[in-house]
Amino acid sequence: DAGVTQSPTHLIKTRGQQVTLRCSPKSGHDTVSWYQQALGQGPQFIFQYYEEEERQRGNFPDRFSGHQFPNYSSELNVNALLLGDSALYLCASSLAGALYGYTFGSGTRLTVV
Amino acid sequence: GDSVTQMEGPVTLSEEACLTINCTYTATGYPSLFWYVQYPGEGLQLLLKATKADDKGSNKGFEATYRKETTSFHLEKGSVQVSDSAVYFCALSGVNDYKLSFGAGTTVTVRA
């Protein structure tokens, strides 16, 4: 049974560019959350998607946006990249309402130069 | 807002030593508390959880007790193995909250 799949695993972008990261949830899960993990820090919540809608958002600027598709997969888009956006981006899936059942992917390492 | 403070690392131990990682939290009401573990190159895995005061979560020899009076959820293991080397994160989720709030993580290295 495949867990959470994220792509790509590594990415290098230039300041000002835009990036799209992708996430396929664990089979049977319908909710996707995105987290940003800077080096040496804990993950910070970006937003959560359920039923193709953003259900909750963390303290991130509008440059960060997302989407959830009918098959529950999700994308995270970041516009006008800054050096400070360099981080590991983690996707976590769950069943709606199942707070204790998050499954995390291995993440996408984004480097902005 | 809700926040978690955990013991800074890195922590280096010998095999069979005792491990304690301190975690305290700030939140309104009765949040749910978690410990996650991250092995090199892998995603976070739930290690244990507690959802109400005085609950004890346990898994793989690790334990943590939800202490409302001290707002703490310290992680303990009596005898660590080399395979326990990882980064450990304390986290909470507030009442009616969909997000997890994580601490900064504690890197643990166990030497044979």
Side-chain angles (χ1 to χ4, degrees):
Chain A
D1 180 22
V4 176
T5 304
Q6 292 188 243
S7 63
T9 54
H10 296 83
L11 200 53
I12 299 175
K13 288 288 190 179
T14 304
R15 274 180 301 176
Q17 284 189 317
Q18 178 266 341
V19 68
T20 297
L21 310 182
R22 295 175 175 81
C23 173
S24 292
K26 180 179 179 178
S27 177
H29 285 182
D30 58 5
T31 302
V32 173
S33 303
W34 287 92
Y35 289 80
Q36 180 195 66
Q37 186 179 9
L39 199 61
Q41 297 183 23
Q44 299 292 316
F45 176 75
I46 303 175
F47 40 55
Q48 184 180 85
Y49 276 82
Y50 171 65
E51 292 188 337
E52 303 179 45
E53 301 258 341
E54 184 184 286
R55 181 157 73 169
Q56 186 176 355
R57 187 179 183 92
N59 191 23
F60 278 80
D62 292 344
R63 298 187 297 109
F64 290 77
S65 63
H67 188 78
Q68 185 180 34
F69 299 93
N71 67 353
Y72 309 120
S73 67
S74 177
E75 289 182 348
L76 164 65
N77 301 293
V78 187
N79 294 323
L81 284 167
L82 304 173
L83 295 179
D85 295 331
S86 296
L88 180 68
Y89 288 85
L90 296 168
C91 173
S93 72
S94 61
L95 271 174
L99 177 63
Y100 319 132
Y102 285 106
T103 300
F104 280 83
S106 299
T108 294
R109 173 70 64 186
L110 172 65
T111 302
V112 182
V113 298
Chain B
D2 297 345
S3 67
V4 174
T5 302
Q6 67 180 97
M7 185 175 108
E8 291 187 14
V11 174
T12 302
L13 302 164
S14 297
E15 216 168 14
E16 299 183 3
C18 297
L19 171 68
T20 299
I21 304 176
N22 292 334
C23 171
T24 57
Y25 68 89
T26 300
T28 54
Y30 290 82
S32 295
L33 302 174
F34 307 86
W35 277 99
Y36 278 82
V37 59
Q38 187 174 36
Y39 299 103
E42 298 184 16
L44 279 77
Q45 300 174 24
L46 177 64
L47 182 58
L48 52 84
K49 69 180 188 296
T51 59
K52 60 183 187 294
D54 300 325
D55 263 2
K56 178 184 281 188
S58 61
N59 186 27
K60 299 182 180 180
F62 290 90
E63 292 183 341
T65 301
Y66 188 143
R67 301 287 187 199
K68 180 65 176 174
E69 64 276 14
T70 55
T71 61
S72 65
F73 193 55
H74 305 321
L75 182 68
E76 298 177 325
K77 187 173 185 181
S79 177
V80 294
Q81 305 299 314
V82 171
S83 57
D84 294 325
S85 298
V87 183
Y88 293 82
F89 294 93
C90 186
L92 72 80
S93 183
V95 178
N96 297 322
D97 198 356
Y98 297 113
K99 74 176 187 294
L100 290 166
S101 298
F102 287 88
T106 302
T107 300
V108 174
T109 302
V110 180
R111 295 178 179 166

